[in-house]
Amino acid sequence: HQQPSVTESPIVLLENVVGCRAEVDDELAGDMAGEAMKCGGIEKVVVHIASSQELADRANMISHEVTIFIHYSDPESAVGAIELFDGRWFGGRQISATMYDLARYRVLTSADTMVYIP
């Protein structure tokens, strides 16, 4: 990854979980939440479909049309989740998991509707 490191964030960004928006179903956020809860308390899981404009803006640090954000209750749980998810295989794809900036996450996901809240 060429991303600058983000420290002490409760947000985990998962990429390459699915290939494109056509592969997203209503169960995806809930399925990811079930796995994510193994690492600690979660506030919510958001499935984000990036616009071409968001993908073009390098500051967003996302490289896939479909990304999943896991919002943990604390940064320690997020660290555990990165260890759990990063490099793991899911449906024939290798997942990338990185810590993500809280403020940018709030902006990117403010209008998202595919949200799982435990």
Side-chain angles (χ1 to χ4, degrees):
H1 285 289
Q2 69 289 356
Q3 303 176 352
S5 62
V6 175
T7 54
E8 288 301 297
S9 171
I11 308 301
V12 173
L13 165 67
L14 300 181
E15 291 196 292
N16 204 35
V17 176
V18 296
C20 61
R21 69 177 69 209
E23 295 177 35
V24 173
D25 62 31
D26 295 338
E27 308 296 311
L28 186 58
D31 289 349
M32 288 293 126
E35 220 23 48
M37 283 186 229
K38 294 176 180 174
C39 301
I42 57 173
E43 305 285 323
K44 65 181 167 180
V45 174
V46 181
V47 177
H48 180 71
I49 311 283
S51 66
S52 52
Q53 193 172 1
E54 286 172 351
L55 286 168
D57 183 350
R58 296 188 86 86
N60 286 326
M61 297 187 300
I62 53 177
S63 54
H64 292 77
E65 180 184 32
V66 180
T67 56
I68 297 171
F69 291 98
I70 305 169
H71 185 170
Y72 279 96
S73 307
D74 57 81
E76 293 73 34
S77 297
V79 170
I82 290 167
E83 291 171 4
L84 175 71
F85 284 107
D86 194 44
R88 193 166 161 186
W89 291 86
F90 177 81
R93 297 177 165 279
Q94 194 168 20
I95 297 174
S96 156
T98 50
M99 200 164 265
Y100 198 81
D101 180 69
L102 180 61
R104 190 168 292 279
Y105 152 81
R106 287 195 168 124
V107 171
L108 269 185
T109 62
S110 61
D112 285 350
T113 56
M114 286 183 284
V115 177
Y116 177 88
I117 299 173

